[in-house]
Amino acid sequence: GHFSEYAASAELLVGETRKTAVRPLAITDGIICCDQAVQCCNPEAILEEVLERLQTELKRAEDAEERCKAAVVELRWKDESVQSLMRQVKLARQQEQEEKQAQRNAEMKGSGGQPPQDQQDREVAE
């Protein structure tokens, strides 16, 4: 048919791009015969390429998992630091309130049971 005439006139070139393509070095008379099945696909080559890509993706996934684990460890450490600081702030506030209460109690004892003058003024104003 029409395709056989076209295929008969086709020239096989070897190279990376069309610009660099050249005729293959011929050991024989320059005619190259190829088996269509080998030319179209080689299952072993395809399998090797798929396995290489799979290995690459597995490595990327493992690296991502390691980064995720490291981030979780860092997050836990920072969370513990924040919790510790919050406990320290709470304790400092409690101590401050206790000191204020002790100071008020001392002032009450020092004035003979009378509240300080500024507290008396506030009570009168109310």
Side-chain angles (χ1 to χ4, degrees), residues 18-35:
R18 286 185 180 200
K19 289 182 179 181
T20 61
V22 294
R23 289 185 177 173
L25 298 175
I27 296 175
T28 60
D29 60 358
I31 299 173
I32 298 176
C33 298
C34 294
D35 183 13

Side-chain angles (χ1 to χ4, degrees), residues 21-64:
V22 294
R23 289 185 177 173
L25 298 175
I27 296 175
T28 60
D29 60 358
I31 299 173
I32 298 176
C33 298
C34 294
D35 183 13
Q36 184 180 4
V38 172
Q39 184 180 3
C40 291
C41 69
N42 180 352
E44 288 181 29
I46 292 173
L47 179 61
E48 287 177 18
E49 184 179 343
V50 168
L51 289 175
E52 286 176 17
R53 289 182 182 183
L54 179 63
Q55 283 299 99
T56 301
E57 293 303 316
L58 284 173
K59 177 70 173 140
R60 285 181 53 205
E62 288 172 357
D63 291 345

Side-chain angles (χ1 to χ4, degrees), residues 68-81:
C68 180
K69 286 179 182 178
V72 167
V73 168
E74 183 180 356
L75 180 63
R76 285 182 182 156
W77 180 80
K78 288 182 178 184
D79 186 50
E80 289 173 4
S81 297

Side-chain angles (χ1 to χ4, degrees), residues 84-95:
S84 175
L85 289 172
M86 289 175 66
R87 285 190 298 270
Q88 290 176 0
V89 167
K90 184 178 179 181
L91 182 62
R93 286 182 182 161
Q94 286 176 349
Q95 289 175 349

